[in-house]
């Protein structure tokens, strides 16, 4: 099985990090193919960057359409997920979506901890229809850079955030963002609830989707595009929208 | 990997049907172990039977605790799911829960079609926190017996129900109940949207959960029971609740 | 009028406590009949115990079916409420349900205070469809035993919890659990909002239901069971499900 | 026990009808005191009339404050309910509120059938926080006058509405409006689900509230008014708001 | 364009304050006509006063019906808004409604800060259907009188409340109440998010509504009253309800 | 006041149509500046096209940033609205958002009628937090082309859709899509409820936002981007994200 792990920003190091995590999580027989967009934000930190990254990501996915069995969106904002799911002939799963759905199988309500702001995560989880399962969100005052410089200090902050979410009723905690996901092995032994890493969850959910061989909807807003005319965009993307 | 496929009613034929479906869906290397409760309803059709079946199911699961890697509740009411999840040391996934979560990965909103009444399904999906993703429920006027006698006639009714759900916005349709799940191969080619069979989805989600090696919550309402005193119940169940 | 006050755990002392509270709350002419399950948990503290207790409770209720005018479920988890409501020919009301509905008549939003964890109460109130009326839940760090040993200390903790709920917008506070209900006479004079005791509310709501002489639904998921085949369970329960 | 049955419109015949229904539903020892506002709409059919009737109703209630043990608002719009609840020293229950809460004790979801438009009922039930329990609303194309002229024809229409609500999942149906409540004895034998008459439910719920002797909230938005200065209104109302 | 700025309490000073704020916010060519009810509460602080004020306000509006192009309800409780909207031939906008809708155009979620209690604001915003956009409510422990006496001290309290709302995710904050609206010029420069003054928002939204020349609904619960018989009320109000 | 009317697809004719509608709706003194993206879909009909159009739109807006007082997104999917709102120094309003918020001022619940599919509109309205105000959506089986060829036939279909929405409780109906908005003058006289044209509503709401001179949030997820590094995109867009 060939799974594309598609970053939505242009930082190759993050793609590599996610691909490594994906390989560690994948079944035997699953090949991980990393991919980085050709343009767009170095790191997505604003709503506008997320839109641009969406286009860049779709362009990237179009290059691989038909050559992979599934696509994991390795971006914690689940950028352009619904569009990618409509566009591609294979299953598409996104990182935070995957972690949240998996959290639903591990307990009752879940929390999410991340570096920095949380409102866009709240919105994304609402779009996934999972607000009722969300116990809370905690934005830890730290950065990925700080996590590299002072891993123990940042781990303490994250564990405090996890404890706060547990106090609000979380049975599991989603680690929001690629940087945090990397810290799961350090944090998990010190956390009384399971910590969900979107890359690991996503790879396994994708393997499930591929195995189930579900047909794509032929009607409705997730049916494959046909005959769409889109100008000035990357050739493979335009072709895919045309239904060529 | 050893997966227990636990029926919640005492009809061995249904256990066998579900076990076969589970085997067909499982990965290589997964062993399916069918199990049928020792007491309780022949078929669950009322709320009271569902409670009794819950006890019977927990007693059954307790017999297998520690000897399997995961448990699939092969009962469309997701009977005693949260209790089983708390009780057992391994992951537990239920059939309708599994189909609904998988449907979330296949499109936007999903529908559910079943034989007979739908209100308890509506309640169960609300308890799963997925009401926002539910486009509708259709209860087809037919029985499993009728499906055996007149498969084509019943298939027509089900396809009409599926069309109605699509008209209400469903991108995918959950087949509610073991009897329907068996009809997926017949129905899928004639349905414009993917049909979700809870057994297949459940087996694969369980494989994912087992692979992820998430620890069980050590705090909160899903932490393993310890020191509970329960009288007059099956020995393995009492022992498990005692934490022995 | 004969009202069965059915405990769902096997601790006779709690049954006696609830029956006394019920007698104190009942109208003249109402006879309170206490009942304790023959098997199951000594005290319900886990999800699995709640399921087992549900079966034990239904078995107990079946013994009394047709001999009482109404049933009060004297268990703060409202164990097996919907099943009992479907199963029995008479009205059934549960303790926390009763307190919450009564709270709706006393103000705008209500809170709930209890000993220990609150997540399962949150879920139960959501199942009752009353989440919008819920201002908050407070789990006080104390036990029923501690309440006996140090009543004043525990009262202080409970009053602090009540104040916190008022600050969150509660106009009334439900006392979650039989142990707390017993403390209402002590707490109420020191609380600026009404405190709701599920036993008292439940007895009076039952008297209302009996007086209204509403027919039972003859269709839908609360219609009485007919012809159900359930093996290996208590004879009266099997008989009731058979519709005998 | 003295219960004021307060109409919110000025049509004495409706007051009398509601008072008769209240007497029929009341316990022995309960005295029903009918009351009709001194000004306002003959029949409430618009939002503006409902506001005016609110004032007229509060003025009426103020005349009786301290002389009755409970107040039933005999108006299907639950006019000025929250204000009356805050204003008066005794429990206040409204007709549709009472029927809806009682319906919650009779099954899962409920419907409402009425003559004419339903949107304001939808809004009122949402304000009661019970939208999740509402299966649907049906506005029958008929008038109270027509119900007098052609009772059988109107009964047929109402029964069709009840069937539609059952098909949408209702286990019980609230009869919206005094005119319909009068038809319960005719309709109930032909309905497969219980029909809820707000007057009967309200009287019994009030008896419960009076019996429970709950204190009024002393803080928050339902605490009794103190020192309010209101000019140009009826003397008893102004006095009550002043806290005199 | 003639806009009626209708206070709902009888304190002329507040009417004047609101009218000044309205004039400051209005377009060139908009004439502001202040109006104060002839009876009712000096200041609305209880639910009962709000109902009485509703009647007084409708009576006031009826005097002006047909002579103004739009009506702004200058009362933070949005008193009798829906009734006024149904009653009058011209657009009607209320103060808090206006601020909340405008806040939706300025960011994601909004907060509300006010003097004193917040529960009735929570209810009103829920009635406006905007709960999902509400990040929180803060009731500052201060009074309008204190704001006159110690403007800097009260400003500090309000800014602390605004900061708390921002921490809860608010991108904008509604100033609840006429007294606070007056403080916007002082507070805005010290607030990192926009502060919404209901009078300013309301005047501008009304100008929009007048300019759009939308017809009034001719059916449903906002269609103009016709032939309503209402006794004992102010002549213009009775006439308007009669449809004269 | 200079308002940019920005189309999100590349069809100049639609831009012109919207600009004309905007001019017709604008106040005296408002200048309408039409703008069409340089790349992207000819017409947005899929989720993927909507993402691409989002990028194209942001690039277009960046060219005009600082030169206009407000931006109207003339695209019924409200494409990239939140991103544009964060990115630009001036107010941004989108077409369907504008119509829905205006509908809230015209009655209770609103409906939406459009050509074709409705699910993405349902999602967008949910993202706007207005699901509670939504009475329903109707997708008429017709195309813009058909509307040109057979205006009367299509008008009949739309009026049937409007009637269906009124039956479901709509007091106002949003016309979804530029093509429909053009039909408002034809449809409004035959509709018993107001029809909302997003262009007209949007222009007027923008004029309000500009007049209110609200500051932009300086914190949170709508604060202006600063120092963002985005490669391979249009120069003005990259510059704006850099905060240059």
């Amino acid at each position: 099985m060939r799974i594309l792990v598609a970053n939505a920003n242009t930082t190759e190091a993050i793609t590599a990090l996610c691909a490594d995590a994906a390989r560690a999580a994948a079944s035997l027989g699953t090949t991980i193919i990393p991919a980085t967009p050709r343009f767009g934000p170095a790191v997505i930190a604003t709503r506008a960057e997320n839109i641009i990254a969406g286009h860049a990501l779709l362009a990237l996915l179009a290059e691989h359409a038909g050559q992979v069995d599934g696509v994991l969106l390795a971006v914690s904002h689940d950028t352009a997920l619904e569009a990618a799911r409509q566009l591609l002939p294979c299953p598409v799963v996104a990182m935070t979506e995957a972690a949240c759905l998996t959290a639903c199988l591990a307990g009752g309500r879940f929390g999410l901890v991340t570096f920095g702001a949380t409102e866009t995560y709240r919105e994304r989880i609402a779009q996934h229809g999972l607000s009722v399962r969300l116990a809370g969100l905690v934005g830890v005052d730290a950065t990925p850079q700080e996590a590299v410089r002072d891993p123990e200090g940042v781990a303490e902050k994250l564990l405090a955030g996890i404890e706060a979410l547990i106090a609000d009723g979380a049975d599991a905690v989603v680690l929001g963002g690629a940087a945090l996901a990397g810290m799961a092995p350090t944090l998990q032994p010190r956390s009384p609830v399971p910590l969900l890493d979107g890359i690991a969850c996503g790879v396994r959910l994708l393997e499930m989707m591929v195995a189930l061989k579900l047909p794509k909807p032929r009607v409705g807003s997730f049916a494959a595009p046909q005959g769409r005319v889109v100008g000035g965009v990357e050739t493979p993307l335009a072709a895919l929208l045309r239904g060529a």
Side-chain angles (χ1 to χ4, degrees), chain A:
Chain A
M1 187 182 306
R2 292 163 55 82
I3 289 185
L4 188 76
V5 172
N7 190 1
N9 67 41
T10 59
T11 307
E12 295 275 3
I14 297 180
T15 309
L17 194 85
C18 292
D20 286 351
R23 273 183 208 106
S27 296
L28 256 161
T30 295
T31 305
I32 299 299
I33 301 155
T36 308
R38 296 176 190 277
F39 67 91
V43 172
I44 302 172
T46 63
R47 294 169 182 273
E49 285 169 293
N50 199 34
I51 295 285
I52 296 166
H55 174 194
L57 183 60
L58 295 181
L60 179 67
L61 300 184
E63 293 181 35
H64 294 268
Q67 303 167 43
V68 292
D69 300 298
V71 169
L72 174 63
L73 304 188
V75 47
S76 67
H77 307 282
D78 293 359
T79 305
L81 167 62
E82 292 81 2
R85 193 165 276 158
Q86 177 180 21
L87 186 64
L88 293 195
C90 66
V92 179
V93 170
M95 191 174 152
T96 297
E97 172 197 47
C100 293
L101 290 176
T102 305
C104 290
L105 293 170
R109 298 195 300 156
F110 63 88
L112 180 145
V113 66
T114 190
F115 293 147
T118 59
E119 279 300 293
T120 52
Y121 285 104
R122 183 191 306 277
E123 293 173 14
R124 205 57 176 106
I125 290 169
Q127 285 169 34
H128 291 324
L130 294 172
S131 298
V132 170
R133 295 295 286 266
L134 181 65
L137 305 124
V138 166
V140 163
D141 182 16
T143 60
Q145 290 74 33
E146 193 180 334
V148 172
R149 241 184 11 248
D150 176 17
E152 177 55 22
V154 168
E156 287 297 331
K157 288 184 185 177
L158 289 167
L159 288 164
I162 289 165
E163 285 299 333
L165 291 166
I166 290 170
D168 283 347
D171 296 311
V173 173
V174 170
L175 301 174
L180 261 85
M183 302 185 72
T186 311
L187 296 171
Q188 183 66 79
R190 295 155 76 183
S191 163
V193 299
L195 305 182
L196 284 308
D197 164 5
I199 295 291
C201 297
V203 166
R204 288 286 175 170
L205 281 175
L206 257 181
E207 290 180 349
M208 171 192 77
M209 290 300 281
V210 172
L212 288 174
K213 292 194 176 58
L214 298 172
K216 205 179 157 63
R218 291 198 310 270
V219 297
S221 67
F222 286 89
Q226 271 295 336
R228 307 310 309 155
V229 178
V230 182
V233 296
E234 301 68 20
T235 307
L237 181 54
L240 201 54
L241 284 159
R242 212 163 44 233

